[in-house]
Amino acid sequence: MNRQMDTLSLIPLFSAAVANASVDISIPIQRVIDRHWYVLGEEVANFEREFAEYVGVRRCISVANGTDAIELALRGLGVGKGDYVVAVANAGFYGSTAIHAIGAMPLYVDVDDASLTMSPDALLEVLKQKPKAVIVTHLYGQLANIEELLRITDAAGVKLVEDCAQSHGAHRGGKQAGSFGAVGCFSFYPTKNLGALGDGGAVVTNDMDLASRIQQLRQYGWSKKYQVAVPDGRNSRLDEIQAAVLCEKLPHLNKCNAERRSIAHRYNMAFATLPLRTPPSTAEDYVAHLYVMRVNSRDTFRAFLKARGISTDVHYPIPDHLQPAYPQAKYFPLEVTEAASGAVVSLPCFPGLSDTEVDCVVTAVQDYFQQ
Ligand SMILES: *Cc1c(COP(=O)(O)O)cnc(C)c1O
């Protein structure tokens, strides 16, 4: 295969064109254009109702993005300046950004070695610090051990926030990601399992008081037009066009998740005997937002795949507690987190990725380990 062929046959990590191919997004967009109502209208109200129903909660409040969703959820729960919020350090700094925006302080704890989501034992340890809230991230689309984590926070009287930005539709025991904790936070960034044509986010909850506080916080703290009822309000709204697109795409979410999961399953089967770590589950509690494996000599591995025209990425190379902007970060032992950050590598896994392309990735990975 010559160089030019290589470039032509590049398999991307994600393709919006391929992932969106089965929906006609011009229809919802035209509807909004014809109606001339662009912010917080009928489309947003419809999407909030449909998404709440999908997740199985009473309320959904849409916001501008997933990071805002976490920030407003924390504010709604009463987290303020100087409060501790427990978080993992391997989830891309999004939760940390929200915590810092409030002037609160992240307290990082380690993750479980198999799932790379928050370790219940580590959480138990940190509760002595009297945190105000805990953010549990369902990383890579894998539902955390949320039942156990929730038992621990409930017993301690601490609120649990689920970061579901990578786990739309993941479920276990009949309950969806976002419906376990006090509040769930979603992002609809284009690459997410449910993606808009730009930024978007949502907060979901069964707590009607919390929902109404968050609804006020997303729009200047207003209880009604021009009346500021709560402090620290923001402008964080979802556009009508994005809501309309999300309404169009929501009915396809389960099918798309099944497709992602089936690709992950094929990878897991093919790699079972190779010296690498694969995602622990390809059941309904994993929606394969990212197919992340762990290898030694990651750079060599990535270079080999790149030469075969296969894109990879690292989610995430720098753990939150080692980010240069926050040298004073407070953390508990993070052995698993630190080891994982040096080994994780993501392979192409998205709806519309063809069988041939999956085969091509499988063969390249097998060849790498057989050279
Ligand atoms: C994408 C993401 C977010 C943030 O969402 P934005 O819409 O980009 O602000 C939060 N948490 C996790 C785990 C994410 O992957």
Side-chain angles (χ1 to χ4, degrees), residues 222-301:
W222 284 356
S223 52
K224 60 181 189 197
K225 210 171 176 185
Y226 308 133
Q227 176 172 297
V228 181
V230 292
D232 302 316
R234 297 270 319 277
N235 172 7
S236 182
R237 300 176 296 216
L238 186 68
D239 288 348
E240 285 283 282
I241 284 185
Q242 301 304 344
V245 168
L246 290 167
C247 277
E248 196 73 22
K249 290 185 69 180
L250 181 57
H252 302 270
L253 175 57
N254 288 346
K255 178 174 51 77
C256 290
N257 282 347
E259 242 185 274
R260 286 175 183 267
R261 197 182 284 121
S262 135
I263 295 164
H265 184 69
R266 288 181 58 195
Y267 286 153
N268 269 14
M269 291 295 112
F271 304 156
T273 58
L274 300 180
L276 53 81
R277 307 272 309 262
T278 59
S281 165
T282 51
E284 305 273 300
D285 64 348
Y286 174 57
V287 289
H289 171 64
L290 293 168
Y291 183 88
V292 176
M293 36 182 259
R294 279 172 277 178
V295 291
N296 299 322
S297 316
R298 178 172 63 198
D299 291 347
T300 322
F301 176 76

Side-chain angles (χ1 to χ4, degrees), residues 64-70 91-92 94-95 137-140 163-166 185-189 191-192 199-201 289-290 316:
N65 58 67
T67 310
D68 279 3
I70 301 171
Y94 306 106
T137 304
H138 303 301
L139 195 68
Y140 309 145
D163 179 350
C164 310
Q166 303 188 351
C185 304
F186 289 85
S187 164
F188 306 118
Y189 185 79
T191 61
K192 309 292 186 182
D199 279 312
H289 171 64
L290 293 168
Y316 298 91

Side-chain angles (χ1 to χ4, degrees), residues 75-134:
R75 285 191 194 280
L77 290 172
V79 174
K81 208 173 154 67
D83 287 334
Y84 282 132
V85 177
V86 177
V88 291
N90 66 338
F93 210 80
Y94 306 106
S96 297
T97 302
I99 295 167
H100 285 299
I102 298 175
M105 291 179 295
L107 264 182
Y108 297 114
V109 298
D110 213 354
V111 293
D112 168 72
D113 188 43
S115 69
L116 297 181
T117 60
M118 188 179 284
S119 151
D121 291 338
L123 174 61
L124 266 176
E125 276 299 302
V126 77
L127 290 176
K128 295 181 198 104
Q129 308 292 320
K130 302 255 172 276
K132 193 83 181 233
V134 175

Side-chain angles (χ1 to χ4, degrees), residues 44 73 118 126 142 149 161 293 322:
V44 163
M118 188 179 284
V126 77
Q142 172 64 55
L149 295 166
V161 177
M293 36 182 259
L322 300 178

